[in-house]
């Protein structure tokens, strides 16, 4: 099975806030249960990854340096979305 990545459009399936973020990034899926997520930097390196416990989750940014990142997020066997966000301290 392959994974598709698409840019976020006006109809967002995942909401991120706040943006810019400092210590925590909150992610909320608009669909069913747990959401898989991965933070990648501008070079494409994986910084952090995990899964929310439900449709809403908190991502600890304590070990993430200030900069521009992308959150890849999606549900298993579904389209993955890429959403840019900023970490500012």
């Amino acid at each position: 099975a392959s994974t598709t990545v698409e840019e976020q459009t006006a109809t967002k399936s995942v909401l991120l806030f706040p943006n810019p973020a400092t210590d925590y990034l909150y992610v909320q899926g608009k669909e069913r249960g747990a959401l898989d997520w991965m933070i990648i930097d501008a070079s494409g390196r994986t910084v952090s990854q995990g899964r929310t416990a439900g449709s809403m989750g908190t991502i600890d940014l304590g070990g993430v340096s200030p900069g521009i990142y992308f959150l890849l997020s999606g549900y298993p066997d579904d389209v993955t979305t890429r959403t840019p966000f900023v970490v500012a301290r």
Side-chain angles (χ1 to χ4, degrees):
S2 64
T3 301
T4 303
V5 176
E6 66 180 28
E7 292 290 335
Q8 287 285 48
T9 60
T11 308
K12 293 181 180 178
S13 60
V14 176
L15 298 174
L16 298 181
F17 54 94
N19 191 7
T22 53
D23 299 317
Y24 296 95
L25 182 66
Y26 300 95
V27 58
Q28 181 175 5
K30 288 195 166 188
E31 296 181 24
R32 60 197 178 273
L35 182 72
D36 293 325
W37 58 268
M38 180 185 317
I39 296 173
I40 59 172
D41 65 14
S43 300
R45 291 178 295 217
T46 300
V47 174
S48 184
Q49 62 186 12
R51 176 179 278 188
T52 63
S55 62
M56 176 91 177
T58 303
I59 300 171
D60 185 351
L61 299 174
V64 179
S65 299
I68 298 171
Y69 296 90
F70 296 93
L71 183 80
L72 300 181
S73 57
Y75 300 97
D77 300 324
D78 199 357
V79 173
T80 299
T81 57
R82 182 177 71 169
T83 308
F85 71 98
V86 174
V87 174
R89 303 258 193 275

